[in-house]
Amino acid sequence: ETGVTQTPRHLVMGMTNKKSLKCEQHLGHNAMYWYKQSAKKPLELMFVYSLEERVENNSVPSRFSPECPNSSHLFLHLHTLQPEDSALYLCASSQGSGRINEKLFFGSGTQLSVL
Amino acid sequence: GENVEQHPSTLSVQEGDSAVIKCTYSDSASNYFPWYKQELGKRPQLIIDIRSNVGEKKDQRIAVTLNKTAKHFSLHITETQPEDSAVYFCAAPHNDYKLSFGAGTTVTVRA
C-alpha cells in the first residue's frame, strides 16, 4: 500500500539546521495529519489539516511549522530542534474533514535524529 | 480531554491461543474507539473500530467489545498466528479532531 508517501525515510540533523519533511497522499483524501511517535509513548497528534485549512494544533512548539499547500501535500518544517524531538514522524490522511471517526491511512514515517 | 490507559504493555501467547488487550477511557461522552496494528518497521493500520451504539463487533479472528458503563473496551484475537505479532494501539476521542492513543501493547505469538 503506497497511498501515503513520506520523504525522507531517515533524517539526521543538528540543532541549528533547518530541514523539511514531506508527505504526499494519492488517495484523494481531504484531511492530512502529522503525528509524532516516540519509543514507549502514545502516538501524539501534532497537526490536522482539512482541505488545506488547519483545524487542530495540539500545542506544538513553534520550532515545528506545518504547511499544507493543497489537499495532497503536507510539509513539516523543522528548525532549531532539540534532541528530545528525535522520533518517528508519521503523516496520515483521511477521506473526510479530519474528524475523529475517520479511518487514518498512515505513511511509513520519517525517522528523525537530532544531534 | 480523554485519558486512555492500555494494558498489558507486552503480551506473549502460544500460537493458536487467544490474546486480549484492554483499554480504559475517562470521558463518558466518547463514542468512537479504533484499534490500530503496527508491525515492526511498518506503518500503523486500522484493524477494527467500534462506535458507542453497539457493544461488540467482530471481523474474522478479531473482535472488539465495549462496556460503556465501566468505560473500557477490549480487543480479542482468537487462534493467534505468527503474523499477529505486532504493536496494537487503542484510541478514544479527545475532541472532534483529536484521538488520544494508548501507549501500545507489544504482542508476540510464539510458534
Side-chain angles (χ1 to χ4, degrees), chain B residues 25 28 30 33 52-54 66-72:
Chain B
Y25 60 98
S28 58
S30 293
F33 307 92
S52 58
N53 58 342
V54 297
L66 172 64
N67 184 325
K68 290 174 59 179
T69 302
K71 291 188 283 189
H72 66 72

Side-chain angles (χ1 to χ4, degrees), chain A residues 1 37 58 100 104 106 108, chain B residues 32 36 38 43 96 98:
Chain A
E1 183 182 341
Q37 186 173 32
N58 193 34
I100 50 92
L104 297 172
F106 284 92
S108 297
Chain B
Y32 174 69
Y36 282 81
Q38 187 175 25
R43 67 195 75 195
D96 286 347
K98 179 186 173 184

Side-chain angles (χ1 to χ4, degrees), chain B residues 28-90:
Chain B
S28 58
S30 293
N31 57 6
Y32 174 69
F33 307 92
W35 285 90
Y36 282 81
K37 173 185 180 182
Q38 187 175 25
E39 296 178 40
L40 186 63
K42 297 192 175 181
R43 67 195 75 195
Q45 291 188 303
L46 179 72
I47 53 171
I48 197 167
D49 57 15
I50 191 168
R51 284 165 171 77
S52 58
N53 58 342
V54 297
E56 183 175 2
K57 183 177 179 181
K58 191 173 182 180
D59 182 3
Q60 298 181 8
R61 296 186 297 106
I62 292 173
V64 56
T65 57
L66 172 64
N67 184 325
K68 290 174 59 179
T69 302
K71 291 188 283 189
H72 66 72
F73 57 109
S74 299
L75 179 71
H76 304 256
I77 308 173
T78 58
E79 301 173 28
T80 52
Q81 300 171 6
E83 55 263 37
D84 296 328
S85 295
V87 180
Y88 292 82
F89 297 94
C90 64

Side-chain angles (χ1 to χ4, degrees), chain A residues 1 4 35 37 40-43 45 48 55-56 58 88 90 97-104 106-108, chain B residues 31-32 34 36 38 41-46 49 51 89 93-103 106:
Chain A
E1 183 182 341
V4 181
Y35 277 89
Q37 186 173 32
K40 306 297 183 185
K41 294 179 69 176
L43 280 163
L45 178 66
V48 181
V55 296
E56 178 73 17
N58 193 34
L88 180 68
L90 289 162
S97 59
R99 293 186 175 269
I100 50 92
N101 59 350
E102 299 167 13
K103 178 179 179 179
L104 297 172
F106 284 92
S108 297
Chain B
N31 57 6
Y32 174 69
Y36 282 81
Q38 187 175 25
K42 297 192 175 181
R43 67 195 75 195
Q45 291 188 303
L46 179 72
D49 57 15
R51 284 165 171 77
F89 297 94
H94 180 93
N95 58 34
D96 286 347
Y97 292 99
K98 179 186 173 184
L99 288 170
S100 289
F101 281 85
T106 301

Side-chain angles (χ1 to χ4, degrees), chain A residues 34-38 41-46 63-64 84-90:
Chain A
W34 280 117
Y35 277 89
K36 177 182 179 182
Q37 186 173 32
S38 304
K41 294 179 69 176
L43 280 163
E44 298 175 59
L45 178 66
M46 300 176 74
R63 58 185 183 270
F64 295 91
E84 59 264 29
D85 296 323
S86 298
L88 180 68
Y89 289 84
L90 289 162

